[in-house]
Amino acid sequence: MIGEQLSTQMDSNVNVVNRTGGSGVVGHQAMVDAEPDGQTIGLVTVEIGMMHHQGLTDISGEDLTAISQMNEDGAGITVAADAEWETAEELLTYIEEHPGEVTASGTGQGGIWHLALLGMLLDNDLPVDAVNFVPSEGAAPALQELVAGGIDMTTNALGESKTMLDSDRAKALGVMGSERDPAFPDVETLQEQTGSDYSMSVWRGIAGPKDMDATVVEELECHLGLIAESDSFNDFMTDSGLGVKYANAEDFQALMAEDDAKKGEVMEEAGLAK
């Protein structure tokens, strides 16, 4: 969607190339290695602040030129519709009183939603093994396992749980965002429920190689800002279960640095850093 809209606004072809592999390393490395001439930009994801802590690569957000943040989704806490808990606070109390009984999933080992769970436990002075974590290939299979009774909770974004929530096969107990998810306004944040300021979110934005020309960045930033405000982009994101969160180049660069430090601290404390 961003590529299509950039093509229209700039009256130029924007070719989208998917570069998979290495838990995101391959795609991010392609951005880092490109010439800083504005011809190659990419969709940078929250994993840029996680991969090097895991020993998967040496690159980080410092090796990129931020242009615009386009998205953010807080980690949700989803349980089966017939689960005994009605709030995140009730669930956390149960975990404290019954360590090792609750099983969670939502992503692969060490992935963003696993990190969200571990950070939440640590923030509540609970050991990281207080909840059993079962790796999955993503939110969809984890949610299927949830409604089948194989696990007790997931910690993926609420938008990824939308189908299950809308069909009343699951219920959302809370969200780990700094504010409520606009698509799920009735779901309270952890801060509202427990007073904790802990949050964990996934985000996506556009960036390019380090040392891009400031005028090129400014032009792209302007185009991306218009896209973020457009009805077509917002409708697309809503239909996809994704949140829109825009930030300019300066603020996005700062976010990458702050998020890297925050996630590194959680990963270190949880024993995931190498």
Side-chain angles (χ1 to χ4, degrees):
M1 172 58 77
I2 293 174
E4 290 174 2
Q5 296 219 6
L6 271 179
S7 293
T8 300
Q9 289 195 27
M10 300 175 66
D11 193 25
S12 177
N13 290 330
V14 176
N15 300 310
V16 178
V17 180
N18 295 311
R19 297 187 182 276
T20 61
S23 299
V25 172
V26 173
H28 286 90
Q29 188 72 57
M31 295 180 230
V32 172
D33 292 342
E35 291 295 324
D37 55 8
Q39 296 299 305
T40 302
I41 58 177
L43 185 75
V44 61
T45 70
V46 67
E47 282 78 16
I48 191 67
M50 298 170 58
M51 297 183 296
H52 68 99
H53 291 297
Q54 294 171 297
L56 300 175
T57 180
D58 293 329
I59 64 174
S60 70
E62 294 181 352
D63 300 302
L64 295 167
T65 299
I67 302 174
S68 295
Q69 180 185 355
M70 303 297 286
N71 154 261
E72 184 177 86
D73 295 294
I77 303 169
T78 304
V79 298
D82 60 355
E84 63 183 275
W85 315 290
E86 295 297 331
T87 66
E89 189 172 18
E90 288 181 7
L91 174 61
L92 286 167
T93 299
Y94 185 90
I95 291 170
E96 182 178 10
E97 295 175 350
H98 304 83
E101 285 191 18
V102 174
T103 301
S105 189
T107 188
Q109 184 77 18
I112 181 62
W113 304 137
H114 184 200
L115 194 62
L117 170 67
L118 297 177
M120 181 178 70
L121 294 174
L122 291 169
D123 182 68
N124 285 274
D125 298 321
L126 297 170
V128 293
D129 60 356
V131 172
N132 299 311
F133 185 79
V134 178
S136 72
E137 292 297 319
L143 288 161
Q144 290 290 343
E145 192 68 16
L146 177 73
V147 299
I151 60 173
D152 302 302
M153 62 180 290
T154 67
T155 48
N156 49 271
L158 293 179
E160 295 175 306
S161 304
K162 189 176 188 309
T163 300
M164 296 299 183
L165 295 172
D166 288 348
S167 61
D168 293 326
R169 287 184 286 174
K171 58 185 176 184
L173 303 187
V175 62
M176 301 182 205
S178 56
E179 55 190 35
R180 294 191 187 191
D181 188 325
F184 302 88
D186 295 332
V187 181
E188 294 182 338
T189 65
L190 287 181
Q191 184 172 36
E192 290 176 292
Q193 295 188 48
T194 68
S196 167
D197 61 359
Y198 171 75
S199 64
M200 184 67 75
S201 300
V202 64
W203 49 258
R204 302 168 181 86
I206 302 298
K210 194 173 182 179
D211 298 325
M212 284 179 62
D213 186 275
T215 58
V216 175
V217 173
E218 186 176 356
E219 180 182 356
L220 289 168
E221 179 186 45
C222 180
H223 286 303
L224 290 165
L226 292 173
I227 291 172
E229 293 177 353
S230 70
D231 290 340
S232 56
F233 181 72
N234 279 267
D235 289 345
F236 169 81
M237 295 293 278
T238 298
D239 292 342
S240 302
L242 299 169
V244 176
K245 175 70 177 293
Y246 177 80
N248 62 25
E250 181 180 0
D251 290 342
F252 187 29
Q253 195 80 57
L255 169 70
M256 284 199 285
E258 292 166 4
D259 205 55
D260 187 298
K262 177 181 177 180
K263 287 183 169 55
E265 183 178 342
V266 174
M267 295 174 80
E268 187 75 35
E269 194 170 353
L272 293 176
K274 295 181 179 179

